[in-house]
Amino acid sequence: MFVLFLLPVVALSFADAVNHSCKDIYLGNPSSPNGTYTIYNRKIQPYKVYCEFHFKYGYTYVSKNTSVEVNINDLFTTNAHVKVRHMKANGAQAEAVMENIKNYPTQPLGIFYNQHTGYAASVNAANLAPYLYLGFLPISLANHVNPQGYRANGQDFNFVNCDRNPNSYFVFYFNPNHKLPIGYVNRCCESTLMHSWITVAHTLPTAYNMPDEFYFDYEIHLGGCGGYAFIHHHNDINGAALGVRFEQADPCQSSPCQNGASCYSEDETNFFCECPDGFVGDTCNVKGDHNNMGIIG
Ligand SMILES: *[C@@H]1O[C@H](CO)[C@@H](O)[C@H](O)[C@H]1NC(C)=O
Ligand SMILES: *[C@@H]1O[C@H](CO)[C@@H](O)[C@H](O)[C@H]1NC(C)=O
Ligand SMILES: *[C@@H]1O[C@H](CO)[C@@H](O)[C@H](O)[C@H]1NC(C)=O
């Protein structure tokens, strides 16, 4: 015989009347389709995102046409991995999950809008700003002669930093004035390391393609001897896009149910505990018999 209790816990979200993220849209309607949505930054200025929804999680891609500030911390809840999509010259789109190499299993990614706190500045940061910054290793870990690189779709692509140059980033430029890149852009030639995230990507069915406005100019730079590539070096690619991940919070994660009870989450804040025989209470923390409490179960 089981008794179910519904327990509200404190909601942490801010209570504006607008959607600030794909997560807000998902929570408002979990059967929302993938597609382009308008969301609002903290100044309540609108911009477009592409929301890719899955069951209780999803990815958010910002439109390159965005001309207002992006509060990127509102767009993701985990920095353990991201998705990077690219558009091929023939219009096909493909994606790879990207994260740190397994030498750094607990090192989060650095995900920023128009800044790179703790990470090396990108070559075209000022020139082609604003930008979305994806940092693999911060300067404190990248300025050593050590193995570095990135992981894409489960495979590590490594190099050993030869001179302690701390570049370990993938940057996506809004480049609103369509300027030409500066820096190493005329250097020959592209390396396997710079191209592997493209090579291992999975092509998406065309029904999941994003509109062109979500694909950016990009720069990837590793090391000290890893390599450098600007979009112009990849003549098979028309642009790349950074997808940051949100997850619906699970109130059962903190193990609120006691004495071996099972926990079931209703939504981000509500859960119930299924008590084993001999325990009662909203978290099954009280010894007792359901019948003695007069509850019909
Ligand atoms: C937020 O998104 C939901 C879909 O989940 C939509 O129904 C709702 O109208 C949006 N809220 C506002 C204020 O636009
Ligand atoms: C959204 O697109 C992804 C592929 O990018 C797909 O796996 C997922 O099922 C789609 N979600 C919906 C709600 O159609
Ligand atoms: C995005 O901006 C470009 C100009 O930079 C414009 O040509 C294009 O129509 C815009 N796309 C959308 C979907 O608004």
Side-chain angles (χ1 to χ4, degrees):
M1 191 171 5
F2 298 117
V3 182
L4 307 182
F5 293 90
L6 204 59
L7 258 200
V9 298
V10 180
L12 295 174
S13 59
F14 44 98
D16 300 23
V18 300
N19 291 316
H20 289 285
S21 62
C22 292
K23 182 179 167 183
D24 284 352
I25 290 164
Y26 181 78
L27 294 178
N29 175 11
S31 53
S32 300
N34 291 342
T36 303
Y37 290 86
T38 298
I39 60 169
Y40 295 82
N41 68 11
R42 293 293 179 122
K43 294 176 184 154
I44 321 294
Q45 296 164 320
Y47 64 102
K48 287 194 181 152
V49 289
Y50 183 90
C51 301
E52 178 191 321
F53 294 118
H54 298 258
F55 182 60
K56 295 191 176 184
Y57 69 94
Y59 295 86
T60 302
Y61 297 85
V62 174
S63 168
K64 193 176 62 153
N65 280 21
T66 301
S67 56
V68 300
E69 183 180 354
V70 174
N71 300 116
I72 196 153
N73 290 335
D74 290 342
L75 304 186
F76 65 92
T77 63
T78 173
N79 48 17
H81 77 253
V82 296
K83 274 187 182 176
V84 173
R85 284 196 186 199
H86 65 265
M87 187 194 282
K88 298 185 190 299
N90 67 8
Q93 299 186 14
E95 67 178 16
V97 169
M98 294 190 77
E99 58 200 314
N100 271 312
I101 55 174
K102 54 179 185 286
N103 307 48
Y104 307 93
T106 60
Q107 180 61 41
L109 299 168
I111 300 171
F112 305 101
Y113 170 76
N114 236 8
Q115 55 185 24
H116 52 88
T117 314
Y119 291 79
S122 64
V123 175
N124 280 280
N127 184 35
L128 307 180
Y131 58 89
L132 299 174
Y133 191 98
L134 172 64
F136 296 107
L137 296 181
I139 291 171
S140 58
L141 293 173
N143 63 353
H144 300 285
V145 177
N146 57 1
Q148 301 181 13
Y150 61 82
R151 190 168 175 79
N153 279 347
Q155 281 183 62
D156 280 1
F157 298 100
N158 291 308
F159 69 101
V160 173
N161 193 318
C162 63
D163 62 5
R164 302 168 194 262
N165 258 328
N167 304 298
S168 187
Y169 65 77
F170 198 156
V171 169
F172 304 78
Y173 293 108
F174 292 76
N175 194 7
N177 300 319
H178 310 288
K179 289 207 243 170
L180 292 174
I182 53 171
Y184 307 133
V185 78
N186 293 322
R187 274 200 196 170
C188 177
C189 301
E190 94 165 305
S191 66
T192 303
L193 179 66
M194 293 293 100
H195 201 272
S196 293
W197 59 277
I198 298 169
T199 311
V200 300
H202 301 306
T203 302
L204 289 156
T206 51
Y208 296 141
N209 281 358
M210 298 194 297
D212 294 9
E213 67 175 295
F214 293 95
Y215 287 93
F216 289 63
D217 291 346
Y218 61 83
E219 175 181 305
I220 179 168
H221 196 181
L222 299 172
C225 300
Y228 174 88
F230 196 80
I231 181 174
H232 298 170
H233 295 132
H234 294 148
N235 53 19
D236 51 342
I237 301 295
N238 278 345
L242 176 66
V244 295
R245 179 176 167 112
F246 73 83
E247 291 170 359
Q248 181 175 332
D250 180 1
C252 287
Q253 196 127 42
S254 61
S255 307
C257 303
Q258 297 178 34
N259 294 306
S262 303
C263 183
Y264 298 91
S265 51
E266 288 266 293
D267 54 30
E268 285 222 298
T269 52
N270 294 295
F271 64 95
F272 57 83
C273 301
E274 192 177 71
C275 298
D277 284 342
F279 292 94
V280 295
D282 45 19
T283 59
C284 311
N285 58 333
V286 179
K287 264 196 178 161
D289 184 333
H290 302 314
N291 293 332
N292 292 344
M293 294 183 69
I295 296 171
I296 317 273

